[in-house]
mmCIF file of all heavy atoms in Angstrom:
data_model
loop_
_atom_site.group_PDB
_atom_site.id
_atom_site.type_symbol
_atom_site.label_atom_id
_atom_site.label_comp_id
_atom_site.label_asym_id
_atom_site.label_seq_id
_atom_site.Cartn_x
_atom_site.Cartn_y
_atom_site.Cartn_z
ATOM 1 N N GLN Z 2 109.661 100.251 12.153
ATOM 2 C CA GLN Z 2 110.429 101.030 13.107
ATOM 3 C C GLN Z 2 111.372 101.988 12.392
ATOM 4 O O GLN Z 2 111.788 101.754 11.261
ATOM 5 C CB GLN Z 2 111.241 100.085 14.004
ATOM 6 C CG GLN Z 2 110.390 99.157 14.833
ATOM 7 C CD GLN Z 2 109.580 99.915 15.863
ATOM 8 O OE1 GLN Z 2 110.024 100.890 16.431
ATOM 9 N NE2 GLN Z 2 108.358 99.462 16.093
ATOM 10 N N VAL Z 3 111.725 103.068 13.062
ATOM 11 C CA VAL Z 3 112.594 104.091 12.467
ATOM 12 C C VAL Z 3 113.944 103.499 12.079
ATOM 13 O O VAL Z 3 114.459 103.775 10.989
ATOM 14 C CB VAL Z 3 112.770 105.275 13.436
ATOM 15 C CG1 VAL Z 3 113.777 106.270 12.895
ATOM 16 C CG2 VAL Z 3 111.439 105.949 13.692
ATOM 17 N N LEU Z 4 114.522 102.678 12.915
ATOM 18 C CA LEU Z 4 115.818 102.078 12.616
ATOM 19 C C LEU Z 4 115.750 101.241 11.340
ATOM 20 O O LEU Z 4 116.652 101.297 10.502
ATOM 21 C CB LEU Z 4 116.313 101.234 13.786
ATOM 22 C CG LEU Z 4 117.696 100.608 13.626
ATOM 23 C CD1 LEU Z 4 118.752 101.674 13.344
ATOM 24 C CD2 LEU Z 4 118.065 99.813 14.869
ATOM 25 N N GLU Z 5 114.680 100.483 11.170
ATOM 26 C CA GLU Z 5 114.512 99.681 9.953
ATOM 27 C C GLU Z 5 114.418 100.580 8.723
ATOM 28 O O GLU Z 5 115.000 100.285 7.679
ATOM 29 C CB GLU Z 5 113.257 98.811 10.061
ATOM 30 C CG GLU Z 5 113.357 97.724 11.105
ATOM 31 C CD GLU Z 5 112.033 97.005 11.303
ATOM 32 O OE1 GLU Z 5 111.168 97.090 10.422
ATOM 33 O OE2 GLU Z 5 111.871 96.370 12.350
ATOM 34 N N LEU Z 6 113.689 101.691 8.846
ATOM 35 C CA LEU Z 6 113.588 102.632 7.734
ATOM 36 C C LEU Z 6 114.947 103.215 7.364
ATOM 37 O O LEU Z 6 115.294 103.332 6.194
ATOM 38 C CB LEU Z 6 112.623 103.762 8.090
ATOM 39 C CG LEU Z 6 111.152 103.407 8.093
ATOM 40 C CD1 LEU Z 6 110.334 104.568 8.656
ATOM 41 C CD2 LEU Z 6 110.681 103.062 6.711
ATOM 42 N N LEU Z 7 115.722 103.583 8.375
ATOM 43 C CA LEU Z 7 117.042 104.159 8.116
ATOM 44 C C LEU Z 7 117.972 103.156 7.437
ATOM 45 O O LEU Z 7 118.748 103.519 6.556
ATOM 46 C CB LEU Z 7 117.670 104.657 9.413
ATOM 47 C CG LEU Z 7 116.998 105.878 10.046
ATOM 48 C CD1 LEU Z 7 117.592 106.171 11.407
ATOM 49 C CD2 LEU Z 7 117.076 107.077 9.140
ATOM 50 N N LYS Z 8 117.884 101.902 7.832
ATOM 51 C CA LYS Z 8 118.734 100.878 7.226
ATOM 52 C C LYS Z 8 118.366 100.614 5.773
ATOM 53 O O LYS Z 8 119.212 100.236 4.973
ATOM 54 C CB LYS Z 8 118.639 99.574 8.024
ATOM 55 C CG LYS Z 8 119.341 99.641 9.352
ATOM 56 C CD LYS Z 8 119.192 98.314 10.093
ATOM 57 C CE LYS Z 8 119.895 98.319 11.423
ATOM 58 N NZ LYS Z 8 119.748 97.033 12.119
ATOM 59 N N GLN Z 9 117.098 100.825 5.408
ATOM 60 C CA GLN Z 9 116.635 100.559 4.045
ATOM 61 C C GLN Z 9 116.733 101.790 3.144
ATOM 62 O O GLN Z 9 116.441 101.711 1.961
ATOM 63 C CB GLN Z 9 115.186 100.083 4.081
ATOM 64 C CG GLN Z 9 115.023 98.755 4.761
ATOM 65 C CD GLN Z 9 113.562 98.365 4.896
ATOM 66 O OE1 GLN Z 9 112.687 99.022 4.373
ATOM 67 N NE2 GLN Z 9 113.313 97.288 5.619
ATOM 68 N N ARG Z 10 117.148 102.908 3.690
ATOM 69 C CA ARG Z 10 117.207 104.164 2.949
ATOM 70 C C ARG Z 10 118.218 104.093 1.820
ATOM 71 O O ARG Z 10 119.312 103.569 1.979
ATOM 72 C CB ARG Z 10 117.580 105.276 3.923
ATOM 73 C CG ARG Z 10 117.559 106.650 3.353
ATOM 74 C CD ARG Z 10 117.998 107.599 4.428
ATOM 75 N NE ARG Z 10 119.453 107.554 4.516
ATOM 76 C CZ ARG Z 10 120.221 108.620 4.460
ATOM 77 N NH1 ARG Z 10 119.695 109.803 4.354
ATOM 78 N NH2 ARG Z 10 121.521 108.514 4.527
ATOM 79 N N ARG Z 11 117.844 104.624 0.687
ATOM 80 C CA ARG Z 11 118.735 104.651 -0.477
ATOM 81 C C ARG Z 11 118.613 106.005 -1.161
ATOM 82 O O ARG Z 11 117.554 106.619 -1.150
ATOM 83 C CB ARG Z 11 118.362 103.559 -1.500
ATOM 84 C CG ARG Z 11 118.464 102.148 -0.958
ATOM 85 C CD ARG Z 11 119.925 101.740 -0.748
ATOM 86 N NE ARG Z 11 120.031 100.424 -0.166
ATOM 87 C CZ ARG Z 11 120.230 100.169 1.113
ATOM 88 N NH1 ARG Z 11 120.308 101.148 1.966
ATOM 89 N NH2 ARG Z 11 120.346 98.940 1.557
ATOM 90 N N ALA Z 12 119.676 106.450 -1.778
ATOM 91 C CA ALA Z 12 119.640 107.678 -2.571
ATOM 92 C C ALA Z 12 119.066 107.343 -3.945
ATOM 93 O O ALA Z 12 119.508 106.399 -4.584
ATOM 94 C CB ALA Z 12 121.038 108.266 -2.703
ATOM 95 N N VAL Z 13 118.098 108.116 -4.374
ATOM 96 C CA VAL Z 13 117.477 107.899 -5.679
ATOM 97 C C VAL Z 13 117.668 109.155 -6.505
ATOM 98 O O VAL Z 13 117.319 110.251 -6.084
ATOM 99 C CB VAL Z 13 115.971 107.595 -5.534
ATOM 100 C CG1 VAL Z 13 115.326 107.459 -6.895
ATOM 101 C CG2 VAL Z 13 115.764 106.337 -4.715
ATOM 102 N N ARG Z 14 118.233 108.998 -7.688
ATOM 103 C CA ARG Z 14 118.461 110.150 -8.542
ATOM 104 C C ARG Z 14 117.700 110.044 -9.862
ATOM 105 O O ARG Z 14 118.001 110.722 -10.814
ATOM 106 C CB ARG Z 14 119.959 110.325 -8.782
ATOM 107 C CG ARG Z 14 120.652 110.775 -7.503
ATOM 108 C CD ARG Z 14 122.133 110.960 -7.686
ATOM 109 N NE ARG Z 14 122.759 111.456 -6.487
ATOM 110 C CZ ARG Z 14 123.071 110.742 -5.419
ATOM 111 N NH1 ARG Z 14 122.786 109.460 -5.383
ATOM 112 N NH2 ARG Z 14 123.660 111.277 -4.374
ATOM 113 N N ASN Z 15 116.716 109.184 -9.898
ATOM 114 C CA ASN Z 15 115.830 109.076 -11.056
ATOM 115 C C ASN Z 15 114.532 109.791 -10.695
ATOM 116 O O ASN Z 15 113.602 109.207 -10.179
ATOM 117 C CB ASN Z 15 115.541 107.607 -11.392
ATOM 118 C CG ASN Z 15 116.774 106.864 -11.816
ATOM 119 O OD1 ASN Z 15 117.653 107.446 -12.438
ATOM 120 N ND2 ASN Z 15 116.861 105.589 -11.479
ATOM 121 N N TYR Z 16 114.485 111.089 -10.976
ATOM 122 C CA TYR Z 16 113.355 111.905 -10.569
ATOM 123 C C TYR Z 16 112.212 111.785 -11.556
ATOM 124 O O TYR Z 16 112.418 111.584 -12.744
ATOM 125 C CB TYR Z 16 113.796 113.364 -10.437
ATOM 126 C CG TYR Z 16 114.942 113.544 -9.475
ATOM 127 C CD1 TYR Z 16 116.214 113.844 -9.945
ATOM 128 C CD2 TYR Z 16 114.756 113.377 -8.117
ATOM 129 C CE1 TYR Z 16 117.275 114.000 -9.060
ATOM 130 C CE2 TYR Z 16 115.807 113.529 -7.232
ATOM 131 C CZ TYR Z 16 117.072 113.840 -7.718
ATOM 132 O OH TYR Z 16 118.103 113.985 -6.852
ATOM 133 N N GLU Z 17 111.013 111.905 -11.046
ATOM 134 C CA GLU Z 17 109.817 111.861 -11.873
ATOM 135 C C GLU Z 17 109.294 113.277 -12.059
ATOM 136 O O GLU Z 17 109.332 114.091 -11.145
ATOM 137 C CB GLU Z 17 108.737 111.013 -11.195
ATOM 138 C CG GLU Z 17 109.140 109.563 -11.042
ATOM 139 C CD GLU Z 17 108.068 108.743 -10.360
ATOM 140 O OE1 GLU Z 17 106.920 109.231 -10.231
ATOM 141 O OE2 GLU Z 17 108.372 107.628 -9.950
ATOM 142 N N ALA Z 18 108.799 113.567 -13.233
ATOM 143 C CA ALA Z 18 108.221 114.880 -13.530
ATOM 144 C C ALA Z 18 106.750 114.864 -13.141
ATOM 145 O O ALA Z 18 105.861 114.746 -13.977
ATOM 146 C CB ALA Z 18 108.403 115.214 -14.993
ATOM 147 N N ARG Z 19 106.493 114.974 -11.865
ATOM 148 C CA ARG Z 19 105.100 115.024 -11.411
ATOM 149 C C ARG Z 19 104.958 116.105 -10.344
ATOM 150 O O ARG Z 19 105.927 116.438 -9.651
ATOM 151 C CB ARG Z 19 104.612 113.678 -10.892
ATOM 152 C CG ARG Z 19 105.367 113.153 -9.712
ATOM 153 C CD ARG Z 19 104.845 111.777 -9.315
ATOM 154 N NE ARG Z 19 105.623 111.290 -8.197
ATOM 155 C CZ ARG Z 19 105.139 110.601 -7.200
ATOM 156 N NH1 ARG Z 19 103.872 110.276 -7.186
ATOM 157 N NH2 ARG Z 19 105.909 110.193 -6.223
ATOM 158 N N LYS Z 20 103.780 116.634 -10.229
ATOM 159 C CA LYS Z 20 103.513 117.734 -9.319
ATOM 160 C C LYS Z 20 103.487 117.242 -7.871
ATOM 161 O O LYS Z 20 102.921 116.199 -7.573
ATOM 162 C CB LYS Z 20 102.173 118.368 -9.670
ATOM 163 C CG LYS Z 20 101.824 119.549 -8.791
ATOM 164 C CD LYS Z 20 100.575 120.226 -9.278
ATOM 165 C CE LYS Z 20 100.046 121.307 -8.381
ATOM 166 N NZ LYS Z 20 100.931 121.986 -7.493
#
Side-chain angles (χ1 to χ4, degrees):
Q2 298 294 324
V3 174
L4 183 57
E5 292 173 19
L6 286 172
L7 291 173
K8 288 179 179 180
Q9 294 175 7
R10 186 182 80 127
R11 299 289 177 261
V13 176
R14 290 180 177 79
N15 296 327
Y16 303 108
E17 296 179 13
R19 61 183 178 143
K20 181 174 173 25

